[in-house]
Amino acid sequence: MNKKWNGLYYPTKDFQKQANLNNKKIYKQASKDPIAFWSDLAKKELFWQEPFTETFSNKQTNFGPEIKWFSGGKLNLTENIFEHNISQSNSLSLRGGSQADEAIPTVEIASGSALAMTKSKVALIWEPENPDEQTKKYTYEELLSEVNKFANALKNLGVKKGDTVGIYLPIIPEIAISMLACARIGVVHLVVFSAFSPDALRIRLQTVKAKYLITADGYYRRGKTINLKQNADLGIENTNIEKVIVVKRAGNDIIWENSKNFWFDELTKNESNICPPEKMNSEDLLFVLPESGTTGQFLPIIHTTGGYTLQAKVTGKWVFDIKDGDVFWSTADPGWITGHTYSIYSPLLNGITTLLFEGAPDFPTTDRWAKIIEKNKVTILYTAPTAIRMFKQYGAESFKNCDISSLRVLGSVGEIIDAPTWLWHNKEIGKNKLPIVDTYWQTETGAIIITSLPGIGPTKPACAGLSLPGVNMNIFDENGKPCKNGVEGNLVMLPPYCPAIVRGIFGAPEKYKNVYWNLYGKDVYITSDRAIKDKHGIIKITGRADDVIKIAGRRITTSELESAVNNHPEISESAVIGIPDEIKGSTPLVFATYRGVKNKDEVTKEIEQEIKKSMGPIATPKKIYLVHELPKTRSGKIMRTLLKKLYFNENLGDISTLSNPETIEAIKKQITTNL
Ligand code: WT7
């Protein structure tokens, strides 16, 4: 972005002129009647097999509000990707019905967004980790064919509409095919990040009582082969999993159980590539995705069909200014919500090409990303600040020798993008002209809810931006009153929320109520983030209000880490705090009580291993302090805030309420001597 005025950046004239949204009137239009606004969009943007009868409702129940969007409507997400998009270029026969005829959009969207879709357009590009291995490409027709074959194979295995299927796959085309095949036949998918441990897989599968799992033999990470099937075999112990479908990826040795294991290729080989899209109610479950929540709660978040499909589609169109020829690269693993919504669903719903990359950003060389952008003429790059900070540290050289001029929009997500990183990104990758959209949202909101729109602006470095048109975010003080501009408070979302808002916590309605709806009025959604609004309405996220640490954009609670630490037989209890990290944003620091005799170095190493195993290498702590005792209040609460102050050598304030003030000096000594 180049036009700077008063600390605010605006899009260039050229960008603005061609943007899908370029008139700020849309904000007013939407806020006048957000329900009507979304209703119009739903009719205009989606193909409904049967029209919806009620746009929005949020009936209060004993377990919080029961939110419904587009009740009565029937649709299939994959039909909106394939048949609907393909038909738009030929005839409108599939749209049919009175809904489409009645659709009178109040929103003016520049005509450039109309997609000239053909069956032979590339839907998916897959780049393997090894640059010498062949790139794979699927046209819309080929992808639909693969999706249908696998959907039929699932049906033949006995999978039924409404069942939940676990997906534990690396970033290979089959992860997209599996998710889409589930959506095709009304099966709920639960994707588990492939770097998660067998224990993490098990608890997720147990929660949803899944009977089927899709996994791979292995995959590559920095040139090493990871035996994923082995992890899957361990992870399904003590679950209801009856059948495991295995994609052949790395050709590594695996243990095979004939009665239980099925090769993906063999299952699909002779299947028909025709599979009618299941008629789904708008509120039927689409997927469940577990996340870390407040005070260590494990939250399998429920998303349903109609609202999610709409918000995934329109946010892509608005926020990334999706155009016909775009190649969209969201670098997130499909195991996370960003991967669900923007690596797969949003670009495909918008009929463009999406790119998946199997490997790490700097492997085998630090210009790997630049090479992928150059080779595939990527136009939209959506990533996390942690990756940008890494490249900032490597220096702009990583991008110098490649032609990255195809890029037209840059996006950031997952955590605060600090001003120095934003400015570097703007200069080195954005060449002072590309829009940078800092997008705020959560697993719970399904899609973007705060950002600056690239064709409208303004953009303020390190600030997420305005509420999306049709979404009403606010900042409340302790008493539930809106904070004045410039005053920090709790970030909340007010009715009608957004179409993709969380509908519940799988199997735990009490949690749903307590985590999201219990702080203010019954209909005020709590994000658990702290934020400040300026006089323009621009929202700056200042941090989490709970014990979640965002490590490299991933959401991890201190208590999850603590339970991994406490798994060590020599440790009785522990306290984990998050401290700032130059690359990862935040990183954990562990304090654990240890009174044993075993060598301290060994114990430290074992704890580190345990954390890596259960949460992935990203959660590796900066330092593990083995202490004699942790500072506690008289009621026994561990004083984590005090540990943080000790670490940063800040004033501790009154510590007379501690039951064991003598621990302070001992820990201080350990910190200063780095023991
Ligand atoms: C939490 C949600 C959003 C999809 C990926 C993460 C933090 C997210 C931003 C941003 C500052 C951000 C918040 C939020 N967060 N985007 N643009 N600026 N903070 O989804 O794992 O559910 O995490 O990520 O703390 O609550 P998630």
Side-chain angles (χ1 to χ4, degrees):
M1 323 205 71
N2 66 350
K3 262 189 133 187
K4 192 172 154 197
W5 187 77
N6 231 353
L8 299 178
Y9 288 71
Y10 288 88
T12 61
K13 274 243 155 57
D14 285 350
F15 191 92
Q16 192 179 10
K17 225 166 46 208
Q18 60 79 62
N20 291 340
L21 286 183
N22 50 17
N23 189 335
K24 65 177 182 209
K25 271 194 204 143
I26 188 169
Y27 286 102
K28 259 216 182 107
Q29 240 175 41
S31 65
K32 232 189 287 165
D33 188 347
I35 296 175
F37 173 81
W38 288 113
S39 167
D40 286 344
L41 279 168
K43 291 173 190 168
K44 182 172 165 291
E45 294 288 344
L46 300 186
F47 168 67
W48 295 88
Q49 295 161 333
E50 281 176 31
F52 55 89
T53 47
E54 186 178 21
T55 304
F56 169 79
S57 62
N58 63 335
K59 199 176 98 205
Q60 288 299 331
T61 74
N62 288 340
F63 298 114
E66 188 184 354
I67 298 172
K68 289 186 178 168
W69 280 93
F70 315 122
S71 295
K74 287 191 193 289
L75 77 164
N76 186 293
L77 186 151
T78 67
E79 192 175 16
N80 274 279
I81 289 178
F82 297 110
E83 287 88 339
H84 179 51
N85 273 335
I86 292 171
S87 76
Q88 281 206 320
S89 60
N90 306 324
S91 74
L92 288 178
S93 60
L94 259 170
R95 287 204 72 167
S98 56
Q99 285 267 331
D101 303 336
E102 275 170 24
I104 309 162
T106 54
V107 185
E108 293 248 330
I109 292 180
S111 56
S113 68
L115 294 164
M117 184 73 179
T118 61
K119 291 188 287 192
S120 55
K121 182 165 179 177
V122 175
L124 176 67
I125 302 176
W126 175 71
E127 280 291 347
E129 170 169 283
N130 180 348
D132 298 330
E133 199 184 326
Q134 193 93 48
T135 303
K136 278 193 186 166
K137 289 187 182 175
Y138 297 76
T139 64
Y140 270 83
E141 193 177 29
E142 287 162 349
L143 186 60
L144 175 59
S145 172
E146 295 304 314
V147 166
N148 282 347
K149 280 197 214 166
F150 188 49
N152 285 329
L154 285 173
K155 282 198 211 166
N156 281 341
L157 272 188
V159 182
K160 292 195 180 57
K161 181 176 176 180
D163 280 350
T164 304
V165 166
I167 300 177
Y168 186 49
L169 283 173
I171 311 183
I172 52 176
E174 286 78 3
I175 193 165
I177 293 167
S178 300
M179 290 163 74
L180 292 162
C182 287
R184 187 81 179 167
I185 55 173
V187 166
V188 180
H189 60 67
L190 167 93
V191 184
V192 180
F193 180 43
S194 56
F196 273 162
S197 67
D199 289 345
L201 172 64
R202 181 176 314 110
I203 175 172
R204 283 160 177 77
L205 296 175
Q206 282 170 341
T207 312
V208 298
K209 302 192 172 58
K211 286 192 287 190
Y212 307 87
L213 180 70
I214 306 161
T215 189
D217 53 354
Y219 65 98
Y220 302 105
R221 196 68 185 167
R222 297 187 175 278
K224 273 203 325 224
T225 305
I226 314 279
N227 190 334
L228 190 67
K229 173 68 164 48
Q230 189 176 32
N231 287 352
D233 288 343
L234 290 170
I236 63 169
E237 282 172 11
N238 299 320
T239 68
N240 293 352
I241 295 290
E242 290 164 10
K243 293 177 180 167
V244 180
I245 301 159
V246 187
V247 179
K248 192 171 242 155
R249 165 68 188 124
N252 49 304
D253 285 341
I254 55 174
I255 293 171
W256 193 259
E257 255 186 86
N258 264 332
S259 60
K260 221 178 184 177
N261 295 172
F262 305 84
W263 286 112
F264 185 99
D265 274 357
E266 280 172 19
L267 283 184
T268 50
K269 202 165 51 191
N270 297 321
E271 279 298 347
S272 152
N273 63 2
I274 294 170
C275 173
E278 195 66 43
K279 265 192 172 182
M280 304 303 291
N281 290 318
S282 181
E283 282 303 331
D284 278 343
L285 262 63
L286 178 63
F287 65 84
V288 175
L289 189 59
E291 250 310 350
S292 301
T294 302
T295 57
Q297 306 197 56
F298 173 70
L299 310 168
I301 285 151
I302 293 175
H303 282 294
T304 57
T305 310
Y308 176 85
T309 304
L310 179 65
Q311 202 180 330
K313 182 168 183 186
V314 298
T315 49
K317 205 172 214 169
W318 295 348
V319 180
F320 302 103
D321 195 50
I322 285 179
K323 295 281 161 50
D324 196 10
D326 275 321
V327 177
F328 194 117
W329 184 16
S330 156
T331 64
D333 190 299
W336 306 102
I337 189 70
T338 314
H340 280 57
T341 308
Y342 297 104
S343 302
I344 297 180
Y345 290 129
S346 181
L348 295 180
L349 282 163
N350 281 297
I352 57 161
T353 305
T354 189
L355 186 143
L356 295 179
F357 169 49
E358 182 186 33
D362 54 351
F363 185 85
T365 48
T366 62
D367 59 0
R368 189 66 205 277
W369 271 21
K371 283 187 169 146
I372 291 175
I373 294 168
E374 177 179 66
K375 177 174 168 192
N376 298 291
K377 301 204 166 35
V378 171
T379 57
I380 303 169
L381 178 67
Y382 190 33
T383 192
T386 187
I388 305 167
R389 285 193 291 260
M390 190 185 83
F391 283 116
K392 179 170 164 245
Q393 206 164 66
Y394 284 141
E397 291 70 47
S398 311
F399 286 83
K400 279 258 154 70
N401 296 324
C402 293
D403 177 8
I404 57 164
S405 61
S406 54
L407 289 174
R408 44 181 297 265
V409 178
L410 304 175
S412 170
V413 64
E415 45 168 327
I416 299 157
I417 172 163
D418 53 288
T421 304
W422 192 97
L423 293 167
W424 182 88
H425 200 35
N426 189 41
K427 178 164 170 257
E428 301 296 346
I429 313 295
K431 312 287 180 211
N432 292 320
K433 80 173 194 266
L434 303 187
I436 300 180
V437 285
D438 180 359
T439 61
Y440 169 90
W441 55 296
Q442 308 178 299
T443 306
E444 289 86 345
T445 71
I448 294 162
I449 53 170
I450 301 177
T451 191
S452 58
L453 291 168
I456 300 176
T459 296
K460 201 171 167 182
C463 299
L466 303 173
S467 299
L468 195 82
V471 177
N472 184 5
M473 304 301 291
N474 212 328
I475 295 165
F476 279 6
D477 68 14
E478 264 78 272
N479 306 315
K481 297 237 160 61
C483 292
K484 289 208 179 91
N485 290 341
V487 176
E488 192 189 72
N490 292 319
L491 181 67
V492 299
M493 182 159 42
L494 301 172
Y497 321 110
C498 58
I501 184 88
V502 52
R503 299 301 202 271
I505 298 301
F506 198 94
E510 272 291 336
K511 264 193 201 171
Y512 168 70
K513 178 179 158 190
N514 292 337
V515 174
Y516 305 114
W517 308 100
N518 237 1
L519 190 58
Y520 302 118
K522 285 196 285 262
D523 58 2
V524 178
Y525 171 83
I526 314 299
T527 64
S528 294
D529 282 301
R530 305 276 295 166
I532 301 176
K533 200 156 52 172
D534 74 3
K535 60 175 191 252
H536 309 283
I538 296 178
I539 295 167
K540 179 181 170 64
I541 309 296
T542 52
R544 294 280 307 193
D546 54 15
D547 62 352
V548 166
I549 321 180
K550 294 289 301 197
I551 305 170
R554 305 236 167 104
R555 200 163 135 177
I556 295 178
T557 55
T558 52
S559 52
E560 281 172 284
L561 287 161
E562 285 161 10
S563 62
V565 177
N566 298 348
N567 259 346
H568 194 286
E570 306 261 344
I571 299 300
S572 47
E573 60 180 1
S574 60
V576 173
I577 57 172
I579 57 162
D581 181 88
E582 254 187 49
I583 304 287
K584 296 196 280 184
S586 298
T587 193
L589 201 65
V590 176
F591 295 86
T593 54
Y594 165 76
R595 301 174 193 211
V597 282
K598 206 169 166 182
N599 179 295
K600 269 195 170 185
D601 286 345
E602 253 173 63
V603 175
T604 310
K605 261 197 208 109
E606 284 162 7
I607 292 177
E608 200 178 294
Q609 282 310 321
E610 184 64 38
I611 291 180
K612 277 192 195 165
K613 202 180 91 198
S614 60
M615 324 292 307
I618 203 84
T620 308
K622 171 129 182 174
K623 173 94 190 153
I624 298 169
Y625 292 104
L626 295 180
V627 301
H628 193 65
E629 229 182 308
L630 291 164
K632 288 185 182 168
T633 60
R634 286 181 200 188
S635 58
K637 195 170 165 267
I638 299 172
M639 293 295 289
R640 290 179 182 75
T641 46
L642 213 56
L643 289 169
K644 205 169 195 167
K645 285 183 181 163
L646 265 173
Y647 184 77
F648 289 110
N649 202 12
E650 288 168 7
N651 186 349
L652 301 182
D654 181 12
I655 55 165
S656 62
T657 54
L658 290 184
S659 67
N660 52 355
E662 68 284 355
T663 54
I664 297 293
E665 275 313 309
I667 295 177
K668 202 172 184 173
K669 206 164 143 203
Q670 272 184 273
I671 291 172
T672 46
T673 54
N674 202 21
L675 277 173

